[in-house]
Amino acid sequence: MLTAIDPATAKVVREVTPDSDADVEAKLAAARKAYESWREKTFEERGKLLKAVAAHMRAHVDELAPLMTEEMGKPIKEARAEVEKAAWCAEHYADFAEAYLAPITLGSDATNSYVQHLPLGTVLGILPWNAPFWLAFRFCAPALMAGNTCLMKHDPHVPGCSAAIAKVFKEVGAPDGVFDSLLLETPAVEKVIRDKRIQAVSFTGSTRGGSAVASIAASEIKPAVLELGGSDPSIVLADADLDKAADILKISRIINAGQSCIAAKRIIVEAPVYDEFIGKLKDRLAALKVGDPAKEETDIGPIARKDLLDELARQVKTTIDEGATCVLGGEPIQGDGYFYPVTLLTDVKPGMCAFVEETFGPVAVVIRADDEEHALQMANDTEYGLAASVWSTAKRGEALAKRIEAGQVAVNGIVKTDPRLPSGGIKRSGYGRELGPHGIHAFVNAQQVWVGPVKS
Ligand SMILES: O=CCCC(=O)O
């Protein structure tokens, strides 16, 4: 059974019977069949469907957003913004896919030689619970616009979100099989990855899960894009605008109760401004409201699951035991639901738990750096390489960006995903890129065409 538990109350909100083998077979067959005609559609025709999907989501935001709030605890104001961002992604690819996939003429001994970008077939998206709508559209909007059909295996804890996304496609009249949701427990997905009707896999989730999915896909010689964990550094240098850095890094750390792969997980501050910056961050964090995610005024909802709450509590306790200073929070909030307070740990050092491990919760971790070189060395001292931010002059920030081991760097701004710009990781944060032009090229056959002279 797929069980959704409201993390604010610890009560079951929904139980859904997983798809049977026959259901999965029918969905795979429909996706393959739909591909034969979907691939022949023009960009305009495909874009029309995605724009209808976007309009439908916007019109029904008040039904869709609460599903995230009740199934994984996202504060309602963030949930509404997520539905909007998912709609934006659908519209972005509807508008730009044709330009992104325009054929490229290349000189050779041919009379005409070029690369054209053709769809692959059916793409399987395997998605996590932390941004159920956004991550679904980050996967499917480019894949569909390229002419693929899509099957989505969402996290088993968000079955209501998963079904709602599939229903949006049905309600706007998407042809059968163009997009569907597989309601499955995680172990059942291996068989689907191996199915000959699946041509490629997009995975967002943990590094452990990504490694398993990538191994299965590789053994079937199927391409995969992996967007995995991160322990993103934020380097605050002495010449930074400290108020701006504190404002933005507060948001970057607590958005979605800190449960984001691209959250500011390690804030590395140059010594001359270390104490001043901590003071500013502390004031901002202390003003945040933790509570019922259904309320408009709530900034931070619960942690999505009890096991994740326990894991976060272990990481914080271990880090304090290792010598970090706990300035705010530090222990789970007692009572119903899986709430964790806004926590600020300072004097964190390389090798400590919260430095080494990814922390998925509202826990700001601050590290002192002697100077810029020391900050850079600690920023790169991680197995992850998803994203980073630098706070300084634009010139120093851009120079440092080249030396930071991450797939994305923001200078004097929040690390965020944006349909127009590619995102993805290096090292154990994954491979491949999503979004922007790179994201749509992940799921195409870049076919070389060579045309010789015609005999007259
Ligand atoms: O947690 C990963 C996704 C984060 C985002 O795209 O905002």
Side-chain angles (χ1 to χ4, degrees), residues 21-366:
D21 287 352
D23 294 331
V24 174
E25 171 54 36
K27 288 178 183 181
L28 281 162
R32 178 66 216 183
K33 184 158 183 281
Y35 172 63
E36 299 307 332
S37 45
W38 185 248
R39 64 174 300 170
E40 301 303 331
K41 301 274 186 216
T42 61
F43 284 105
E44 194 185 339
E45 287 167 326
R46 292 180 203 142
K48 209 168 148 200
L49 177 71
L50 285 208
K51 286 201 171 173
V53 164
H56 190 86
M57 286 198 292
R58 286 206 175 93
H60 293 82
V61 65
D62 290 332
E63 293 147 47
L64 300 175
L67 291 169
M68 289 185 263
T69 303
E70 68 182 17
E71 291 194 332
M72 46 70 68
K74 190 173 293 254
I76 189 66
K77 60 190 176 193
E78 286 187 30
R80 276 195 223 101
E82 180 171 328
V83 173
E84 164 59 34
K85 189 170 173 182
W88 176 29
C89 189
E91 284 170 347
H92 175 77
Y93 278 105
D95 287 336
F96 289 91
E98 186 166 13
Y100 287 158
L101 296 182
I104 301 168
T105 300
L106 297 166
S108 75
D109 59 344
T111 51
N112 188 16
S113 45
Y114 57 94
V115 172
Q116 59 183 348
H117 303 106
L118 306 176
L120 292 174
T122 299
V123 183
L124 174 66
I126 304 174
L127 305 175
W129 49 267
N130 65 336
F133 277 72
W134 162 242
L135 296 177
F137 280 84
R138 177 170 91 168
F139 142 65
C140 79
L144 290 171
M145 281 306 299
N148 301 290
T149 56
C150 288
L151 279 172
M152 171 181 77
K153 199 297 278 182
H154 223 313
D155 186 274
H157 302 92
V158 290
C161 295
S162 181
I165 294 165
K167 192 162 161 241
V168 169
F169 278 87
K170 287 203 180 15
E171 286 183 348
V172 302
D176 268 359
V178 163
F179 178 95
D180 212 342
S181 154
L182 291 168
L183 295 164
L184 290 176
E185 300 279 10
T186 298
V189 79
E190 174 168 354
K191 198 169 158 206
V192 183
I193 300 171
R194 293 195 189 281
D195 191 281
K196 64 180 186 318
R197 288 159 292 190
I198 294 296
Q199 260 66 53
V201 182
S202 172
F203 177 90
T204 300
S206 69
T207 297
R208 199 177 50 158
S211 169
V213 165
S215 304
I216 299 164
S219 72
E220 299 289 340
I221 325 294
K222 295 181 183 182
V225 169
L226 306 176
E227 206 264 46
L228 310 177
S231 185
D232 292 1
S234 305
I235 299 178
V236 181
L237 295 181
D239 57 3
D241 177 339
L242 294 188
D243 283 308
K244 186 171 172 202
D247 282 341
I248 301 294
L249 290 174
K250 170 201 75 178
I251 297 167
S252 180
R253 180 60 271 206
I254 62 90
I255 203 159
N256 202 22
Q259 303 168 109
S260 166
C261 48
I262 52 169
K265 300 205 177 98
R266 293 177 301 136
I267 303 173
I268 302 171
V269 186
E270 213 179 353
V273 293
Y274 182 77
D275 292 329
E276 187 185 353
F277 177 79
I278 287 172
K280 289 179 187 292
L281 187 61
K282 181 186 169 196
D283 291 347
R284 285 156 173 83
L285 291 174
L288 293 167
K289 275 201 168 69
V290 180
D292 180 354
K295 291 196 170 142
E296 292 297 329
E297 65 270 23
T298 295
D299 298 305
I300 300 176
I303 300 299
R305 296 198 314 258
K306 174 77 167 72
D307 60 309
L308 299 173
L309 176 72
D310 293 344
E311 172 65 353
L312 183 67
R314 178 197 66 79
Q315 291 173 316
V316 171
K317 182 174 179 320
T318 306
T319 309
I320 295 167
D321 290 348
E322 289 167 337
T325 305
C326 183
V327 178
L328 288 175
E331 286 192 13
I333 298 169
Q334 296 306 313
D336 294 339
Y338 313 141
F339 289 93
Y340 199 86
V342 182
T343 293
L344 174 58
L345 299 179
T346 60
D347 305 322
V348 174
K349 294 193 169 58
M352 289 184 182
C353 182
F355 187 102
V356 176
E357 296 181 15
E358 175 174 30
T359 50
F360 235 51
V363 177
V365 167
V366 186

